[in-house]
Amino acid sequence: MNESTVDDSMELSEGHVTDKIRACLDGELAPDEAARVRAHCARCRACHRAWTEIENLYRILESDTGAEPLRPVWPGVRERIGEPRRGLARFPFAVGASAAAAAGLLLGLLLGSVGETLGSRAESSWSEVGTLLTDSGTSLDDLYLSGLANGGESQ
Amino acid sequence: MERTARGDEGAFRLLVERWERPVFGFLERMLSSREEAQDMSQETFLRVFAEAGRYRPDGRFRSWLFRIAGNLARSRLRRDRVVRWIRLEPLLHDPPDPGARADDLLERDEKRRAVRTALARLPDRQRQAVVLQRYQGLSYREVAAAMDTTVPAVESLLQRAMALLKKELAGERKEQ
Ligand SMILES: [Zn+2]
């Protein structure tokens, strides 16, 4: 937003829009409301400053570009889908003695967290994953183009 | 079109390959550990497979997927908190950009590290909302669905998270 357009003498009869600025920048407002917020921020110094601050913060957050998976996920998933219930949650202790003292007190919590992982193991079959396809942005065309329709041996 | 079992396996593989990066990216920011994010990515897709029969196509696959990943991440975080096992791995994974000068790289890496630290300090639910909304590009509605909550609650989480991030990253802001 252009600093030169800001007008200190703006009439504030319409009220500040500071509480709508983030939603506006996030693309969550209807077009007419977004236009109203932008127009206000172009003229009101306080709201203009709030707008710029959020924009700056977003720019800083963008400097974290994220990481790539360390290795493809599929081979491990494929291997474990074939397994019976075993192994979906490896018991997560790699901590040894220091954890042992805390373990008594916190066993319930830990079991809860492991149980949450194990408990989700519903039996599924390959045919059921078809319901996910369209919604997940994976089309049958992709499937046939990739050659995976013939058994997933394309790579 | 009749899908064979092998075709369905291929379909699920495509789905995993299509979504592994967003899921890993989400989990890595939630857990501050690439190894744990890798493990939890696998768990996420195993759970997706396990629950596929219960999924009803309603155009909200992304929310559904991130709800599964988010529940796993938060359960892992609760466990980690219990054993006081909080790690912040250095960001060494990005290949250097050959066009960039060393001091640029250093500055960029420091900024990124500052962002990571600030994100890691947020309460779990605030971090989850920020990562889903800002980094995964979910709408407030999708975030609400992924977190089993309402849009106003998401707005409030984001509001509080941004206030904390703004404070944490004040030094970075001055350098802009
Ligand atoms: Zn104003």
Side-chain angles (χ1 to χ4, degrees), chain A residues 10 12 14-18 21 40-41 43-48:
Chain A
M10 183 204 170
L12 294 175
E14 62 187 272
H16 290 304
V17 294
T18 32
I21 292 173
H40 177 98
C41 291
R43 288 173 293 131
C44 166
R45 186 163 292 275
C47 290
H48 181 271

Side-chain angles (χ1 to χ4, degrees), chain B residues 136-156:
Chain B
Q136 300 300 331
L138 271 65
S139 68
Y140 294 177
R141 244 182 88 178
E142 288 176 304
V143 176
M147 294 181 68
D148 278 321
T149 188
T150 62
V151 169
V154 168
E155 289 179 305
S156 161

Side-chain angles (χ1 to χ4, degrees), chain A residues 19 22-26 28 52-54 56-78 80-81 87-95 98-99 102-103 106 109-110 112-144 146 148-155, chain B residues 1-21 24-25 28-29 34-35 38-39 41-43 45-62 64 71-72 75-76 78-79 82-83 85 91 93-94 108 111-112 115-116 119 130 133-135 138-141 151 154-156 158-163 165-166 169 172-173 176:
Chain A
D19 58 338
R22 213 187 48 250
C24 186
L25 278 164
D26 291 346
E28 294 279 342
T52 309
E53 279 190 1
I54 297 173
N56 285 344
L57 179 58
Y58 281 2
R59 207 167 297 132
I60 293 168
L61 293 178
E62 275 165 25
S63 64
D64 174 11
T65 49
E68 295 287 314
L70 299 170
R71 46 195 173 272
V73 175
W74 170 250
V77 171
R78 177 65 192 91
R80 286 173 64 197
I81 281 175
L88 248 191
R90 280 171 297 138
F91 193 73
F93 264 106
V95 281
S98 65
L106 302 160
L109 216 163
L110 287 167
S113 121
V114 174
E116 191 178 325
T117 312
L118 282 173
S120 74
R121 182 62 165 160
E123 292 307 320
S124 253
S125 67
W126 288 115
S127 63
E128 283 169 320
V129 305
T131 55
L132 301 174
L133 273 190
T134 313
D135 266 15
S136 71
T138 314
S139 73
L140 284 176
D141 287 347
D142 295 335
L143 179 61
Y144 282 88
S146 71
L148 292 173
N150 300 320
E153 301 301 331
S154 75
Q155 280 182 14
Chain B
M1 194 182 307
E2 192 179 313
R3 281 195 308 269
T4 63
R6 300 191 85 195
D8 287 318
E9 180 182 332
F12 190 59
R13 173 175 172 174
L14 271 190
L15 184 150
V16 171
E17 289 172 351
R18 158 82 179 77
W19 288 96
E20 65 182 344
R21 288 169 69 181
F24 178 87
E28 204 254 336
R29 285 192 174 95
R34 280 176 286 153
E35 274 299 341
Q38 186 78 35
D39 283 357
S41 296
Q42 190 170 306
E43 298 295 339
F45 289 107
L46 284 165
R47 196 177 277 202
V48 165
F49 179 77
E51 296 187 5
R54 272 184 265 160
Y55 178 78
R56 296 287 163 262
D58 58 0
R60 293 189 178 194
F61 174 79
R62 198 154 67 142
W64 184 75
N71 287 342
L72 286 167
S75 135
R76 173 59 63 106
R78 279 195 298 273
R79 189 211 78 192
V82 166
V83 296
W85 188 17
L91 289 157
H93 46 282
D94 292 343
R108 218 188 302 162
K111 198 171 283 180
R112 213 159 26 171
V115 170
R116 264 326 155 89
L119 281 174
V130 170
Q133 195 270 326
R134 285 253 44 92
Y135 292 106
L138 271 65
S139 68
Y140 294 177
R141 244 182 88 178
V151 169
V154 168
E155 289 179 305
S156 161
L158 289 171
Q159 166 84 35
R160 281 177 286 152
M162 290 304 165
L165 289 171
K166 190 172 141 185
L169 295 166
E172 302 299 317
R173 297 165 70 78
Q176 280 279 299

